[in-house]
């Protein structure tokens, strides 16, 4: 079983601050996805990264896939209370057999 | 709107009872996944079906069962309910067995 680890587990910051959360594995993934889940709602797909070293931007969110395709990061610039939620990374293992989720980073942005 | 429909949205029942949760996948998706999420926890994978057949099993209790019907909708059956079964239950669907998953809004189960 290929595991995805996420750090930090919890993060509480003030509005306007920048932050980075990480998703790591000892195994290679053919692609990684980032989801955001708001309380009481289902996870919503934010982005998919496929190529090692790939960087994708979604407004104030920047996603990067590691060169070796074993890790990914999500950087948020000037965080806003609306960014509050559970951020989950997920990936398809390199054998193309399984889609696994990390445990998530719970972000709280205080006004 | 993800295109995945889950019913009911809320369910309140008593210990020892049995409930059925329903999921309609996105049009064209053949895979359905079920997840359990307890308060402030991550997603716990329960089971996956692909085109009517069970494909993968996760941490699903023997009291729980699921099936996918010919029209591709799926049902998750929870029996002999316990207080600890109170959670959000999510269904997700994807085109194939390893594609990106799209989630429904979930069913909140409260066992009293």
């Amino acid at each position: 079983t290929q595991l995805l680890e996420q750090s930090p587990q919890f993060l509480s910051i003030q509005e306007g601050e920048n932050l980075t959360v990480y998703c790591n594995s000892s195994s290679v993934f053919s692609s990684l996805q980032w989801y955001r889940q708001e309380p009481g709602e289902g996870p919503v797909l934010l982005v998919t990264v496929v190529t090692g070293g790939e960087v994708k931007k979604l407004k104030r969110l920047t996603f990067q896939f590691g060169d070796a395709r074993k890790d990914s990061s999500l950087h948020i610039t000037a965080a806003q209370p609306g960014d509050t939620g559970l951020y989950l990374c997920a990936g398809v293992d390199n054998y193309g057999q399984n889609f696994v989720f990390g445990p998530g980073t719970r972000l709280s942005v205080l006004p | 709107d993800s295109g995945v429909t889950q019913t009911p949205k809320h369910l309140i029942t008593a210990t020892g009872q049995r409930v059925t949760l329903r999921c309609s996948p996105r049009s064209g998706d053949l895979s359905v996944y079920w997840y359990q999420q307890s308060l402030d926890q991550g997603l716990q994978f329960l089971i996956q079906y692909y085109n009517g057949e069970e494909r993968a099993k996760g941490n699903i209790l023997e009291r729980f069962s699921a099936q996918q019907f010919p029209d591709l909708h799926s049902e998750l059956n929870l029996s002999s309910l316990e207080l600890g079964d109170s959670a959000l239950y999510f269904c997700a669907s994807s085109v194939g067995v390893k594609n990106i998953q799209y989630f429904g809004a979930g069913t909140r189960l409260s066992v009293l």
Side-chain angles (χ1 to χ4, degrees):
Chain A
T1 302
Q2 295 184 291
L3 296 177
L4 284 169
E5 299 177 345
Q6 291 189 245
S7 61
Q9 187 178 0
F10 299 97
L11 186 57
S12 182
I13 61 171
Q14 292 294 133
E15 182 176 1
E17 293 184 5
N18 301 330
L19 67 114
T20 302
V21 298
Y22 301 92
C23 173
N24 297 289
S25 175
S26 59
S27 304
V28 175
F29 282 80
S30 60
S31 69
L32 271 177
Q33 288 75 41
W34 284 92
Y35 291 79
R36 179 172 67 213
Q37 183 183 17
E38 298 185 19
E41 303 291 329
V44 175
L45 180 68
L46 296 175
V47 78
T48 297
V49 286
V50 178
T51 307
E54 181 177 4
V55 176
K56 281 191 174 179
K57 291 193 174 184
L58 186 65
K59 296 183 181 179
R60 296 176 292 101
L61 279 60
T62 302
F63 304 85
Q64 184 162 8
F65 201 11
D67 291 340
R69 292 185 291 137
K70 292 183 178 182
D71 56 86
S72 181
S73 63
L74 159 58
H75 181 81
I76 301 179
T77 303
Q80 299 177 1
D83 296 326
T84 294
L86 178 67
Y87 287 82
L88 296 158
C89 67
V92 179
D93 67 38
N94 215 32
Y95 302 103
Q97 296 300 309
N98 293 299
F99 191 93
V100 297
F101 277 88
T105 291
R106 192 166 296 279
L107 171 66
S108 179
V109 182
L110 306 174
Chain B
D1 183 2
S2 66
V4 179
T5 304
Q6 288 188 248
T7 57
K9 194 167 178 62
H10 302 277
L11 198 50
I12 301 174
T13 188
T15 56
Q17 295 298 305
R18 172 189 168 95
V19 297
T20 298
L21 312 183
R22 194 178 193 280
C23 171
S24 294
R26 293 188 322 155
S27 177
D29 284 0
L30 299 179
S31 267
V32 169
Y33 309 77
W34 287 97
Y35 293 87
Q36 180 192 56
Q37 187 177 44
S38 300
L39 189 63
D40 292 335
Q41 299 294 311
L43 291 168
Q44 297 295 318
F45 170 66
L46 296 178
I47 197 164
Q48 178 196 1
Y49 279 81
Y50 176 75
N51 204 21
E53 299 290 328
E54 181 185 304
R55 185 183 181 271
K57 245 181 180 178
N59 300 319
I60 187 167
L61 300 172
E62 286 191 10
R63 301 183 286 108
F64 296 0
S65 65
Q67 55 184 326
Q68 186 179 28
F69 295 87
D71 67 353
L72 301 177
H73 90 272
S74 178
E75 293 181 355
L76 178 67
N77 300 296
L78 314 177
S79 61
S80 302
L81 285 167
E82 302 175 359
L83 295 176
D85 297 327
S86 294
L88 272 166
Y89 290 83
F90 288 105
C91 168
S93 73
S94 65
V95 172
V97 297
K98 56 175 180 168
N99 303 92
I100 296 167
Q101 296 179 30
Y102 294 87
F103 284 79
T107 292
R108 181 176 294 280
L109 174 66
S110 298
V111 182
L112 306 178

